[in-house]
PDB file of all heavy atoms in Angstrom:
ATOM      1  N   ASP A 109     154.894 133.019 100.378  1.00  0.00           N
ATOM      2  CA  ASP A 109     153.614 133.011  99.676  1.00  0.00           C
ATOM      3  C   ASP A 109     152.443 133.457 100.562  1.00  0.00           C
ATOM      4  O   ASP A 109     151.295 133.434 100.125  1.00  0.00           O
ATOM      5  CB  ASP A 109     153.326 131.634  99.092  1.00  0.00           C
ATOM      6  CG  ASP A 109     153.206 130.553 100.145  1.00  0.00           C
ATOM      7  OD1 ASP A 109     153.582 130.791 101.319  1.00  0.00           O
ATOM      8  OD2 ASP A 109     152.733 129.446  99.800  1.00  0.00           O
ATOM      9  N   GLU A 110     152.722 133.891 101.781  1.00  0.00           N
ATOM     10  CA  GLU A 110     151.638 134.304 102.682  1.00  0.00           C
ATOM     11  C   GLU A 110     150.816 135.480 102.139  1.00  0.00           C
ATOM     12  O   GLU A 110     149.586 135.447 102.224  1.00  0.00           O
ATOM     13  CB  GLU A 110     152.180 134.636 104.071  1.00  0.00           C
ATOM     14  CG  GLU A 110     151.082 134.908 105.082  1.00  0.00           C
ATOM     15  CD  GLU A 110     151.627 135.179 106.466  1.00  0.00           C
ATOM     16  OE1 GLU A 110     152.556 136.005 106.599  1.00  0.00           O
ATOM     17  OE2 GLU A 110     151.115 134.567 107.423  1.00  0.00           O
ATOM     18  N   PRO A 111     151.422 136.518 101.549  1.00  0.00           N
ATOM     19  CA  PRO A 111     150.604 137.601 100.991  1.00  0.00           C
ATOM     20  C   PRO A 111     149.614 137.104  99.938  1.00  0.00           C
ATOM     21  O   PRO A 111     148.441 137.488  99.937  1.00  0.00           O
ATOM     22  CB  PRO A 111     151.638 138.555 100.388  1.00  0.00           C
ATOM     23  CG  PRO A 111     152.871 138.325 101.196  1.00  0.00           C
ATOM     24  CD  PRO A 111     152.849 136.849 101.488  1.00  0.00           C
ATOM     25  N   GLU A 112     150.086 136.216  99.055  1.00  0.00           N
ATOM     26  CA  GLU A 112     149.213 135.700  98.003  1.00  0.00           C
ATOM     27  C   GLU A 112     148.114 134.815  98.576  1.00  0.00           C
ATOM     28  O   GLU A 112     146.940 134.958  98.219  1.00  0.00           O
ATOM     29  CB  GLU A 112     150.044 134.918  96.979  1.00  0.00           C
ATOM     30  CG  GLU A 112     149.265 134.495  95.755  1.00  0.00           C
ATOM     31  CD  GLU A 112     148.770 135.671  94.921  1.00  0.00           C
ATOM     32  OE1 GLU A 112     149.423 136.728  94.900  1.00  0.00           O
ATOM     33  OE2 GLU A 112     147.706 135.515  94.288  1.00  0.00           O
ATOM     34  N   LYS A 113     148.468 133.898  99.463  1.00  0.00           N
ATOM     35  CA  LYS A 113     147.471 133.004 100.074  1.00  0.00           C
ATOM     36  C   LYS A 113     146.429 133.789 100.857  1.00  0.00           C
ATOM     37  O   LYS A 113     145.233 133.494 100.803  1.00  0.00           O
ATOM     38  CB  LYS A 113     148.148 131.995 100.998  1.00  0.00           C
ATOM     39  CG  LYS A 113     148.820 130.862 100.298  1.00  0.00           C
ATOM     40  CD  LYS A 113     149.362 129.877 101.323  1.00  0.00           C
ATOM     41  CE  LYS A 113     149.928 128.653 100.669  1.00  0.00           C
ATOM     42  NZ  LYS A 113     150.416 127.683 101.651  1.00  0.00           N
ATOM     43  N   THR A 114     146.883 134.795 101.600  1.00  0.00           N
ATOM     44  CA  THR A 114     145.960 135.612 102.398  1.00  0.00           C
ATOM     45  C   THR A 114     144.987 136.349 101.490  1.00  0.00           C
ATOM     46  O   THR A 114     143.775 136.343 101.718  1.00  0.00           O
ATOM     47  CB  THR A 114     146.747 136.613 103.268  1.00  0.00           C
ATOM     48  OG1 THR A 114     147.641 135.892 104.110  1.00  0.00           O
ATOM     49  CG2 THR A 114     145.811 137.448 104.117  1.00  0.00           C
ATOM     50  N   ALA A 115     145.505 136.971 100.444  1.00  0.00           N
ATOM     51  CA  ALA A 115     144.652 137.727  99.520  1.00  0.00           C
ATOM     52  C   ALA A 115     143.658 136.818  98.806  1.00  0.00           C
ATOM     53  O   ALA A 115     142.478 137.166  98.667  1.00  0.00           O
ATOM     54  CB  ALA A 115     145.520 138.467  98.507  1.00  0.00           C
ATOM     55  N   GLU A 116     144.111 135.657  98.359  1.00  0.00           N
ATOM     56  CA  GLU A 116     143.207 134.719  97.676  1.00  0.00           C
ATOM     57  C   GLU A 116     142.108 134.226  98.612  1.00  0.00           C
ATOM     58  O   GLU A 116     140.946 134.125  98.214  1.00  0.00           O
ATOM     59  CB  GLU A 116     143.996 133.533  97.127  1.00  0.00           C
ATOM     60  CG  GLU A 116     144.841 133.875  95.926  1.00  0.00           C
ATOM     61  CD  GLU A 116     145.732 132.727  95.482  1.00  0.00           C
ATOM     62  OE1 GLU A 116     145.721 131.647  96.138  1.00  0.00           O
ATOM     63  OE2 GLU A 116     146.450 132.906  94.492  1.00  0.00           O
ATOM     64  N   ALA A 117     142.464 133.923  99.840  1.00  0.00           N
ATOM     65  CA  ALA A 117     141.461 133.447 100.801  1.00  0.00           C
ATOM     66  C   ALA A 117     140.420 134.523 101.073  1.00  0.00           C
ATOM     67  O   ALA A 117     139.214 134.262 101.036  1.00  0.00           O
ATOM     68  CB  ALA A 117     142.136 133.025 102.099  1.00  0.00           C
ATOM     69  N   ILE A 118     140.874 135.741 101.335  1.00  0.00           N
ATOM     70  CA  ILE A 118     139.941 136.836 101.640  1.00  0.00           C
ATOM     71  C   ILE A 118     139.044 137.125 100.444  1.00  0.00           C
ATOM     72  O   ILE A 118     137.841 137.339 100.598  1.00  0.00           O
ATOM     73  CB  ILE A 118     140.711 138.089 102.089  1.00  0.00           C
ATOM     74  CG1 ILE A 118     141.333 137.834 103.460  1.00  0.00           C
ATOM     75  CG2 ILE A 118     139.810 139.315 102.112  1.00  0.00           C
ATOM     76  CD1 ILE A 118     142.293 138.914 103.922  1.00  0.00           C
ATOM     77  N   ALA A 119     139.605 137.101  99.233  1.00  0.00           N
ATOM     78  CA  ALA A 119     138.809 137.360  98.025  1.00  0.00           C
ATOM     79  C   ALA A 119     137.746 136.285  97.808  1.00  0.00           C
ATOM     80  O   ALA A 119     136.680 136.572  97.268  1.00  0.00           O
ATOM     81  CB  ALA A 119     139.724 137.452  96.812  1.00  0.00           C
ATOM     82  N   SER A 120     138.021 135.052  98.253  1.00  0.00           N
ATOM     83  CA  SER A 120     137.058 133.966  98.039  1.00  0.00           C
ATOM     84  C   SER A 120     135.921 133.956  99.057  1.00  0.00           C
ATOM     85  O   SER A 120     134.883 133.357  98.813  1.00  0.00           O
ATOM     86  CB  SER A 120     137.776 132.616  98.066  1.00  0.00           C
ATOM     87  OG  SER A 120     138.180 132.295  99.378  1.00  0.00           O
ATOM     88  N   TRP A 121     136.115 134.603 100.204  1.00  0.00           N
ATOM     89  CA  TRP A 121     135.071 134.620 101.222  1.00  0.00           C
ATOM     90  C   TRP A 121     134.088 135.735 100.939  1.00  0.00           C
ATOM     91  O   TRP A 121     134.423 136.771 100.404  1.00  0.00           O
ATOM     92  CB  TRP A 121     135.654 134.859 102.614  1.00  0.00           C
ATOM     93  CG  TRP A 121     136.625 133.835 103.056  1.00  0.00           C
ATOM     94  CD1 TRP A 121     136.663 132.522 102.697  1.00  0.00           C
ATOM     95  CD2 TRP A 121     137.718 134.046 103.945  1.00  0.00           C
ATOM     96  NE1 TRP A 121     137.702 131.897 103.314  1.00  0.00           N
ATOM     97  CE2 TRP A 121     138.372 132.799 104.090  1.00  0.00           C
ATOM     98  CE3 TRP A 121     138.204 135.141 104.640  1.00  0.00           C
ATOM     99  CZ2 TRP A 121     139.478 132.647 104.903  1.00  0.00           C
ATOM    100  CZ3 TRP A 121     139.308 134.976 105.446  1.00  0.00           C
ATOM    101  CH2 TRP A 121     139.927 133.746 105.567  1.00  0.00           C
ATOM    102  N   GLU A 122     132.886 135.532 101.362  1.00  0.00           N
ATOM    103  CA  GLU A 122     131.877 136.588 101.274  1.00  0.00           C
ATOM    104  C   GLU A 122     131.653 137.130 102.674  1.00  0.00           C
ATOM    105  O   GLU A 122     130.604 136.941 103.266  1.00  0.00           O
ATOM    106  CB  GLU A 122     130.596 136.022 100.686  1.00  0.00           C
ATOM    107  CG  GLU A 122     130.763 135.552  99.252  1.00  0.00           C
ATOM    108  CD  GLU A 122     129.517 134.867  98.738  1.00  0.00           C
ATOM    109  OE1 GLU A 122     128.442 135.003  99.350  1.00  0.00           O
ATOM    110  OE2 GLU A 122     129.627 134.177  97.724  1.00  0.00           O
TER     111      GLU A 122
END
Side-chain angles (χ1 to χ4, degrees):
D109 62 347
E110 187 178 49
E112 188 64 30
K113 283 184 174 182
T114 302
E116 287 174 358
I118 291 171
S120 72
W121 300 331
E122 296 174 16

